[in-house]
């Protein structure tokens, strides 16, 4: 899955910086709905990862029934947190 394509599909743009808060919230709601109805595991994980990046992902234990997917989501969240904690200066 291509991040730019996901952003364009759910937010109507590939650059979230061009959107106001209302447009971002609308896109997130579309993304939440897309995640809720998606059945393909890889695509579902990609949607969850985007929700995670936007601070709106459900807990992995709630989001995924499969223990392997839960573990992958927990690992992803841990790694994303480590990257977010890095000092970029």
């Amino acid at each position: 899955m291509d991040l730019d394509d996901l952003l364009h599909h759910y937010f109507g743009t590939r650059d979230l910086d061009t959107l106001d808060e209302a447009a971002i919230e609308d896109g997130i709601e579309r993304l939440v709905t897309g995640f809720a109805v998606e059945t393909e595991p890889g695509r579902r994980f990609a949607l969850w990862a985007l929700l995670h990046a936007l601070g709106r992902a459900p807990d992995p234990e709630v989001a995924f029934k499969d223990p392997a997917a839960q573990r992958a989501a927990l690992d992803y969240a841990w790694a994303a947190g480590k990257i977010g904690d890095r000092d970029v200066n």
Side-chain angles (χ1 to χ4, degrees):
M1 298 199 70
D2 182 75
L3 177 60
D4 286 339
D5 291 343
L6 284 175
L7 292 174
H8 188 265
H9 180 78
Y10 289 103
F11 295 92
T13 183
R14 289 173 167 82
D15 184 2
L16 295 184
D17 290 335
T18 65
L19 301 178
D20 62 21
E21 189 64 31
I24 290 173
E25 285 302 315
D26 288 345
I28 289 172
E29 289 307 312
R30 286 189 292 276
L31 183 56
V32 166
T33 300
F35 175 75
V37 300
E38 183 58 55
T39 59
E40 196 281 313
R43 184 168 170 83
R44 185 169 168 77
F45 191 88
L47 297 177
W48 179 88
L50 182 52
L51 283 168
H52 184 272
L54 296 169
R56 297 287 290 275
D59 289 334
E61 295 84 3
V62 174
F64 302 103
K65 293 178 183 174
D66 177 49
Q70 289 175 2
R71 183 78 238 151
L74 287 167
D75 290 347
Y76 172 87
W78 177 85
K82 286 296 201 185
I83 290 169
D85 291 342
R86 287 185 359 198
D87 183 17
V88 294
N89 292 326

